[in-house]
Amino acid sequence: MDGTFPRAVLLSAVLLGACPVLPSPSSPSSSSSSAAVLQPYDLLYDAAVQAFYSGDYADVVRYMEGALGSYRDARRTRVRCRLRCQDQHPWDGAFSDLRFFDAVLRRAACMDTCIEEELGAQSVHKVSEDVLQDFHRRIPYNYLQLAYQKLKQPEKAAAAAHTYFQANPEHVEMGQNLEQYKDLQGVKEDHFVDREARPHQRSFTAAVRLYDSGDFEGAIALFEEALVEYYKADVECRALCQGPQKFEGHDHLRYRYSLHELISDHFTQVLHCEHECVRDLATRPGRLSPMENYLPLHYDYLQFAYFQVDRLEEGMQCALAYLLFHEGEEFMTENVDYYREVLGHDGKPREKAAWYLRRHKQELELLLIGSQTMGVGFTEGNYWSSTGGRDDSNRIPSGTDGWMEYVPISEKRNVTVVVPQQLKEGGPLVYDSVQLVQNSAALNGTQRVLLDHVISEDECAELRHLAHAVTMAGDGYRGKMSPHTPNEKFEGATVLKALQYGYEGRVPMKSARLFYNISERARHITESYFLLNSTLHFSYTHLVCRTAITGQQDHRNDLSHPIHADNCLLDPEANECWKEPPAYTYRDYSALLYLNGDFEGGEFIFTEMDAKTMTASVKPKCGRMVGFSSGGENPHGVKAITRGQRCAVALWFTLDPLFRELERLQADEVIQSLDTQSVWGQGLNINPKDEL
């Protein structure tokens, strides 16, 4: 169940008002007698969300637990079928083209049969990338936590909250909520379990704790268990790589008509995915950076633990295994010399580690060849960074604490962000009415500005009326009802959609043009104030309203919009922001122009890169605009809106004309047409099937 629906199919469903057939709440998510009744998890997820908005919390639990079970069952089935078919149809020793393709075709047929038998109709069901990301980010557990809370089942709510928080540690309110659960009657420490914990990471973390307490025998057992689970997880990770693959940012790759080039391209992509399993297995949920030196550390801990219990033979094997990853490292070489001297003979490293590393090096050789054939650059990652190590004197290894405690702001260290010196600010504000309220220094950051009177009260009122008429349920461009929190309704519309509604007579064309014009005003102000020496282009323009959902504001445990950066992937734990897909890396500046302030909550906040230490807070009001550069120097978010509706024009800009907003270019053509000729009765060149 990977991949996405074709865009045209999704759009047609939206335009025609089509709804998926939802499973009955009483239907099981799986069955031992017939796996064909396994429901697609995205449909169950959608049913749970709909139940949430209707206040039926029992159905939320029923559907969402079913969705999680279906997700796990589908994943296990794909792994099991792929491994079974590989075993049934191995590569023949007497190799030839026909024997190669014989095995390929038989494996494909085996896979189809196996998955169809176990998953039934779900085997051909495609799940959207947005839903896959929600499950990866553990969003279902946020809904479950709230539902169990409403159903007065605090022990289950605590487990769901804890599971969600492991992958979303930037949600400060969730951390605080967890502290409240600890004080509730009937909630015990063992209720705070991570329901999605990966066995190899769980065993490793428990082993480190035993080691740190001096229980070396117990630590040895758990470290050995962690290694078994690690290599098992590696096999499963690689099996999951055998589906459709693509290099992010390289969709331009041309189709190759040569059979061997085509096979080479696909195999290279699969191999790249398998090679990255090293990083995946070392990365904790909610993190972008892997644990430092993760796999080698198992052997480091083991060699010293075996030494402590006088099992030197095993200790030497593990020390030699560690040196496979870090050849010649001084401290471990000295340990090996000690083992040899005491034992009176040499030893061999663990065979599993030696085999694993041999395969890793062979993969690298093939990846370099395949990537060159595809015309895609490839750089080997620093998989075995030796900066993470065992330090018995004062700490456990980096990144092994399995419980993310809430850290008060007062205890967080200050993080210095280096910003290129060529960045400037303080240019003219272009329009006489605009008033500078705070510059970067006053906002405790860099490349930040707060302005008032960017638009008038009348213009705010007109745009709010437009928003109520034009905005659609969801985020306006991906159809997600609540892209950031289930406790608020989110609605949005683009400039082109507003102009289309104006042309169709559903809203005043004057209001649609005002939306277009004030976004242009915001662009001019941003370009001028930050003294940019090249043109700032629109990357995306969005009229958005967020509304607090009545009855769901008690014990809010989330932000209206979590802390993030606009052009990079924020990694709070590492105090880094990775400028790589799926981030919108081409965005250079951002701005929010507020249309009202008559609501509770909803303050815009800047933080340090730890996503917790707040550096500035902005209370929205009509005509107020906050502008800032889009990188890791400006992490930001929105506090929960607990009453009322907050409307704004959200704008993102780019200095790269290649990434100009397509709908903006279409809107420019509409405006030009309106300005140069009478359009009434003629029809504008707006494709009604465009994704508005």
Side-chain angles (χ1 to χ4, degrees), residues 90 114 148 165 183 217 221 322 398 409 415 435 448 469 565 573 595 597 640 650 660 670:
C114 178
Y148 279 128
F165 190 57
D183 296 331
E217 290 284 4
Y322 184 91
S398 172
I409 288 177
V415 180
Q435 175 187 347
R448 302 175 180 177
E573 186 171 329
L595 306 183
R660 287 178 294 178
V670 172

PDB file of all heavy atoms in Angstrom, residues 90 114 148 165 183 217 221 322 398 409 415 435 448 469 565 573 595 597 640 650 660 670:
ATOM      1  N   PRO A  90      15.017 -18.322  -5.979  1.00  0.00           N
ATOM      2  CA  PRO A  90      16.368 -17.744  -5.846  1.00  0.00           C
ATOM      3  C   PRO A  90      17.035 -17.605  -7.210  1.00  0.00           C
ATOM      4  O   PRO A  90      16.596 -18.185  -8.204  1.00  0.00           O
ATOM      5  CB  PRO A  90      17.091 -18.774  -4.981  1.00  0.00           C
ATOM      6  CG  PRO A  90      16.412 -20.067  -5.329  1.00  0.00           C
ATOM      7  CD  PRO A  90      14.969 -19.727  -5.552  1.00  0.00           C
ATOM      8  N   CYS A 114       0.613 -13.880  -3.491  1.00  0.00           N
ATOM      9  CA  CYS A 114       0.756 -13.845  -2.029  1.00  0.00           C
ATOM     10  C   CYS A 114       0.015 -12.660  -1.420  1.00  0.00           C
ATOM     11  O   CYS A 114      -0.770 -12.814  -0.482  1.00  0.00           O
ATOM     12  CB  CYS A 114       2.242 -13.792  -1.662  1.00  0.00           C
ATOM     13  SG  CYS A 114       2.571 -13.689   0.109  1.00  0.00           S
ATOM     14  N   TYR A 148      -9.748   9.101  23.750  1.00  0.00           N
ATOM     15  CA  TYR A 148      -9.704   8.361  25.014  1.00  0.00           C
ATOM     16  C   TYR A 148      -9.910   9.299  26.206  1.00  0.00           C
ATOM     17  O   TYR A 148     -10.505   8.914  27.220  1.00  0.00           O
ATOM     18  CB  TYR A 148      -8.365   7.637  25.146  1.00  0.00           C
ATOM     19  CG  TYR A 148      -8.300   6.327  24.388  1.00  0.00           C
ATOM     20  CD1 TYR A 148      -7.259   6.062  23.494  1.00  0.00           C
ATOM     21  CD2 TYR A 148      -9.270   5.347  24.583  1.00  0.00           C
ATOM     22  CE1 TYR A 148      -7.193   4.861  22.803  1.00  0.00           C
ATOM     23  CE2 TYR A 148      -9.214   4.136  23.899  1.00  0.00           C
ATOM     24  CZ  TYR A 148      -8.177   3.901  23.008  1.00  0.00           C
ATOM     25  OH  TYR A 148      -8.119   2.716  22.329  1.00  0.00           O
ATOM     26  N   PHE A 165       4.005  11.817  21.366  1.00  0.00           N
ATOM     27  CA  PHE A 165       5.045  12.764  21.773  1.00  0.00           C
ATOM     28  C   PHE A 165       6.441  12.294  21.379  1.00  0.00           C
ATOM     29  O   PHE A 165       7.328  13.105  21.120  1.00  0.00           O
ATOM     30  CB  PHE A 165       4.966  12.982  23.281  1.00  0.00           C
ATOM     31  CG  PHE A 165       5.826  14.116  23.779  1.00  0.00           C
ATOM     32  CD1 PHE A 165       5.672  15.388  23.267  1.00  0.00           C
ATOM     33  CD2 PHE A 165       6.775  13.908  24.762  1.00  0.00           C
ATOM     34  CE1 PHE A 165       6.448  16.439  23.723  1.00  0.00           C
ATOM     35  CE2 PHE A 165       7.565  14.944  25.226  1.00  0.00           C
ATOM     36  CZ  PHE A 165       7.396  16.221  24.708  1.00  0.00           C
ATOM     37  N   ASP A 183      -0.406  12.684  37.171  1.00  0.00           N
ATOM     38  CA  ASP A 183      -1.040  12.994  38.453  1.00  0.00           C
ATOM     39  C   ASP A 183      -2.458  12.441  38.564  1.00  0.00           C
ATOM     40  O   ASP A 183      -3.091  12.565  39.614  1.00  0.00           O
ATOM     41  CB  ASP A 183      -1.081  14.513  38.661  1.00  0.00           C
ATOM     42  CG  ASP A 183       0.317  15.112  38.765  1.00  0.00           C
ATOM     43  OD1 ASP A 183       1.222  14.391  39.216  1.00  0.00           O
ATOM     44  OD2 ASP A 183       0.488  16.286  38.378  1.00  0.00           O
ATOM     45  N   GLU A 217      25.709  -8.242  33.295  1.00  0.00           N
ATOM     46  CA  GLU A 217      25.106  -9.467  32.773  1.00  0.00           C
ATOM     47  C   GLU A 217      23.773  -9.159  32.085  1.00  0.00           C
ATOM     48  O   GLU A 217      23.488  -9.646  30.985  1.00  0.00           O
ATOM     49  CB  GLU A 217      24.895 -10.484  33.901  1.00  0.00           C
ATOM     50  CG  GLU A 217      26.175 -11.087  34.457  1.00  0.00           C
ATOM     51  CD  GLU A 217      26.775 -12.151  33.529  1.00  0.00           C
ATOM     52  OE1 GLU A 217      26.227 -12.350  32.420  1.00  0.00           O
ATOM     53  OE2 GLU A 217      27.784 -12.763  33.924  1.00  0.00           O
ATOM     54  N   ALA A 221      22.763  -9.373  27.835  1.00  0.00           N
ATOM     55  CA  ALA A 221      21.608 -10.064  27.257  1.00  0.00           C
ATOM     56  C   ALA A 221      20.793  -9.125  26.372  1.00  0.00           C
ATOM     57  O   ALA A 221      20.364  -9.497  25.272  1.00  0.00           O
ATOM     58  CB  ALA A 221      20.740 -10.642  28.374  1.00  0.00           C
ATOM     59  N   TYR A 322      34.013  -3.893  16.265  1.00  0.00           N
ATOM     60  CA  TYR A 322      33.984  -2.427  16.292  1.00  0.00           C
ATOM     61  C   TYR A 322      35.034  -1.847  15.349  1.00  0.00           C
ATOM     62  O   TYR A 322      34.781  -0.868  14.633  1.00  0.00           O
ATOM     63  CB  TYR A 322      34.213  -1.930  17.719  1.00  0.00           C
ATOM     64  CG  TYR A 322      34.104  -0.428  17.858  1.00  0.00           C
ATOM     65  CD1 TYR A 322      32.882   0.171  18.166  1.00  0.00           C
ATOM     66  CD2 TYR A 322      35.212   0.401  17.687  1.00  0.00           C
ATOM     67  CE1 TYR A 322      32.769   1.548  18.295  1.00  0.00           C
ATOM     68  CE2 TYR A 322      35.111   1.776  17.817  1.00  0.00           C
ATOM     69  CZ  TYR A 322      33.885   2.343  18.115  1.00  0.00           C
ATOM     70  OH  TYR A 322      33.781   3.716  18.228  1.00  0.00           O
ATOM     71  N   SER A 398      25.368   9.304  23.089  1.00  0.00           N
ATOM     72  CA  SER A 398      24.492  10.336  22.547  1.00  0.00           C
ATOM     73  C   SER A 398      23.229   9.729  21.980  1.00  0.00           C
ATOM     74  O   SER A 398      23.257   8.762  21.250  1.00  0.00           O
ATOM     75  CB  SER A 398      25.231  11.092  21.440  1.00  0.00           C
ATOM     76  OG  SER A 398      24.366  11.970  20.773  1.00  0.00           O
ATOM     77  N   ILE A 409      11.634  26.286  29.528  1.00  0.00           N
ATOM     78  CA  ILE A 409      12.385  27.246  28.728  1.00  0.00           C
ATOM     79  C   ILE A 409      13.586  27.786  29.497  1.00  0.00           C
ATOM     80  O   ILE A 409      14.655  28.007  28.943  1.00  0.00           O
ATOM     81  CB  ILE A 409      11.463  28.403  28.296  1.00  0.00           C
ATOM     82  CG1 ILE A 409      10.483  27.895  27.228  1.00  0.00           C
ATOM     83  CG2 ILE A 409      12.249  29.584  27.752  1.00  0.00           C
ATOM     84  CD1 ILE A 409       9.472  28.911  26.778  1.00  0.00           C
ATOM     85  N   VAL A 415      20.922  29.101  21.685  1.00  0.00           N
ATOM     86  CA  VAL A 415      21.505  28.556  20.468  1.00  0.00           C
ATOM     87  C   VAL A 415      21.817  29.708  19.525  1.00  0.00           C
ATOM     88  O   VAL A 415      20.950  30.509  19.205  1.00  0.00           O
ATOM     89  CB  VAL A 415      20.533  27.573  19.782  1.00  0.00           C
ATOM     90  CG1 VAL A 415      21.164  27.005  18.514  1.00  0.00           C
ATOM     91  CG2 VAL A 415      20.170  26.452  20.734  1.00  0.00           C
ATOM     92  N   GLN A 435       3.681  51.386   9.148  1.00  0.00           N
ATOM     93  CA  GLN A 435       4.441  51.804  10.329  1.00  0.00           C
ATOM     94  C   GLN A 435       5.327  50.660  10.820  1.00  0.00           C
ATOM     95  O   GLN A 435       4.858  49.536  11.004  1.00  0.00           O
ATOM     96  CB  GLN A 435       3.474  52.224  11.436  1.00  0.00           C
ATOM     97  CG  GLN A 435       4.150  52.572  12.759  1.00  0.00           C
ATOM     98  CD  GLN A 435       3.140  52.823  13.865  1.00  0.00           C
ATOM     99  OE1 GLN A 435       1.948  52.977  13.602  1.00  0.00           O
ATOM    100  NE2 GLN A 435       3.605  52.846  15.101  1.00  0.00           N
ATOM    101  N   ARG A 448      13.949  39.744  10.635  1.00  0.00           N
ATOM    102  CA  ARG A 448      12.562  39.735  11.091  1.00  0.00           C
ATOM    103  C   ARG A 448      12.059  41.170  11.129  1.00  0.00           C
ATOM    104  O   ARG A 448      12.817  42.092  11.436  1.00  0.00           O
ATOM    105  CB  ARG A 448      12.438  39.149  12.504  1.00  0.00           C
ATOM    106  CG  ARG A 448      12.951  37.739  12.669  1.00  0.00           C
ATOM    107  CD  ARG A 448      12.903  37.303  14.137  1.00  0.00           C
ATOM    108  NE  ARG A 448      13.405  35.943  14.316  1.00  0.00           N
ATOM    109  CZ  ARG A 448      13.531  35.343  15.495  1.00  0.00           C
ATOM    110  NH1 ARG A 448      13.176  35.985  16.611  1.00  0.00           N
ATOM    111  NH2 ARG A 448      13.991  34.103  15.575  1.00  0.00           N
ATOM    112  N   ALA A 469     -16.586  33.509   1.819  1.00  0.00           N
ATOM    113  CA  ALA A 469     -17.282  33.082   0.606  1.00  0.00           C
ATOM    114  C   ALA A 469     -16.458  32.139  -0.257  1.00  0.00           C
ATOM    115  O   ALA A 469     -17.006  31.293  -0.964  1.00  0.00           O
ATOM    116  CB  ALA A 469     -17.668  34.312  -0.218  1.00  0.00           C
ATOM    117  N   ALA A 565      10.429  25.564  10.222  1.00  0.00           N
ATOM    118  CA  ALA A 565      11.053  26.570   9.373  1.00  0.00           C
ATOM    119  C   ALA A 565      10.497  26.371   7.968  1.00  0.00           C
ATOM    120  O   ALA A 565      10.083  25.266   7.601  1.00  0.00           O
ATOM    121  CB  ALA A 565      12.574  26.439   9.379  1.00  0.00           C
ATOM    122  N   GLU A 573      16.529  18.587  18.126  1.00  0.00           N
ATOM    123  CA  GLU A 573      17.485  17.896  18.986  1.00  0.00           C
ATOM    124  C   GLU A 573      18.925  18.203  18.595  1.00  0.00           C
ATOM    125  O   GLU A 573      19.802  18.359  19.443  1.00  0.00           O
ATOM    126  CB  GLU A 573      17.227  16.391  18.929  1.00  0.00           C
ATOM    127  CG  GLU A 573      18.080  15.608  19.908  1.00  0.00           C
ATOM    128  CD  GLU A 573      17.653  14.158  19.978  1.00  0.00           C
ATOM    129  OE1 GLU A 573      16.458  13.883  19.787  1.00  0.00           O
ATOM    130  OE2 GLU A 573      18.514  13.323  20.246  1.00  0.00           O
ATOM    131  N   LEU A 595      -5.786  39.792   9.308  1.00  0.00           N
ATOM    132  CA  LEU A 595      -7.032  40.474   8.966  1.00  0.00           C
ATOM    133  C   LEU A 595      -7.902  40.760  10.179  1.00  0.00           C
ATOM    134  O   LEU A 595      -8.893  41.483  10.060  1.00  0.00           O
ATOM    135  CB  LEU A 595      -7.832  39.622   7.965  1.00  0.00           C
ATOM    136  CG  LEU A 595      -7.088  39.211   6.685  1.00  0.00           C
ATOM    137  CD1 LEU A 595      -8.022  38.443   5.760  1.00  0.00           C
ATOM    138  CD2 LEU A 595      -6.515  40.436   5.971  1.00  0.00           C
ATOM    139  N   GLY A 597      -8.193  40.449  14.927  1.00  0.00           N
ATOM    140  CA  GLY A 597      -7.582  40.104  16.210  1.00  0.00           C
ATOM    141  C   GLY A 597      -8.616  39.721  17.241  1.00  0.00           C
ATOM    142  O   GLY A 597      -8.285  39.521  18.416  1.00  0.00           O
ATOM    143  N   ALA A 640      -2.200  27.824  20.018  1.00  0.00           N
ATOM    144  CA  ALA A 640      -3.553  27.312  19.827  1.00  0.00           C
ATOM    145  C   ALA A 640      -4.580  28.437  19.819  1.00  0.00           C
ATOM    146  O   ALA A 640      -4.527  29.361  20.633  1.00  0.00           O
ATOM    147  CB  ALA A 640      -3.885  26.314  20.938  1.00  0.00           C
ATOM    148  N   ALA A 650      -1.329  34.473   3.959  1.00  0.00           N
ATOM    149  CA  ALA A 650      -0.002  33.874   4.126  1.00  0.00           C
ATOM    150  C   ALA A 650       0.728  33.931   2.790  1.00  0.00           C
ATOM    151  O   ALA A 650       0.165  33.558   1.754  1.00  0.00           O
ATOM    152  CB  ALA A 650      -0.134  32.432   4.599  1.00  0.00           C
ATOM    153  N   ARG A 660       8.588  30.260  -9.388  1.00  0.00           N
ATOM    154  CA  ARG A 660       7.444  31.153  -9.273  1.00  0.00           C
ATOM    155  C   ARG A 660       6.145  30.353  -9.195  1.00  0.00           C
ATOM    156  O   ARG A 660       6.015  29.294  -9.805  1.00  0.00           O
ATOM    157  CB  ARG A 660       7.379  32.097 -10.480  1.00  0.00           C
ATOM    158  CG  ARG A 660       8.453  33.186 -10.469  1.00  0.00           C
ATOM    159  CD  ARG A 660       8.362  34.051 -11.701  1.00  0.00           C
ATOM    160  NE  ARG A 660       8.683  33.275 -12.909  1.00  0.00           N
ATOM    161  CZ  ARG A 660       8.645  33.771 -14.132  1.00  0.00           C
ATOM    162  NH1 ARG A 660       8.297  35.027 -14.336  1.00  0.00           N
ATOM    163  NH2 ARG A 660       8.968  33.010 -15.165  1.00  0.00           N
ATOM    164  N   VAL A 670      -5.068  36.799 -15.874  1.00  0.00           N
ATOM    165  CA  VAL A 670      -6.466  37.181 -15.680  1.00  0.00           C
ATOM    166  C   VAL A 670      -6.571  38.684 -15.441  1.00  0.00           C
ATOM    167  O   VAL A 670      -7.410  39.370 -16.043  1.00  0.00           O
ATOM    168  CB  VAL A 670      -7.081  36.407 -14.502  1.00  0.00           C
ATOM    169  CG1 VAL A 670      -8.477  36.933 -14.176  1.00  0.00           C
ATOM    170  CG2 VAL A 670      -7.143  34.918 -14.819  1.00  0.00           C
TER     171      VAL A 670
END
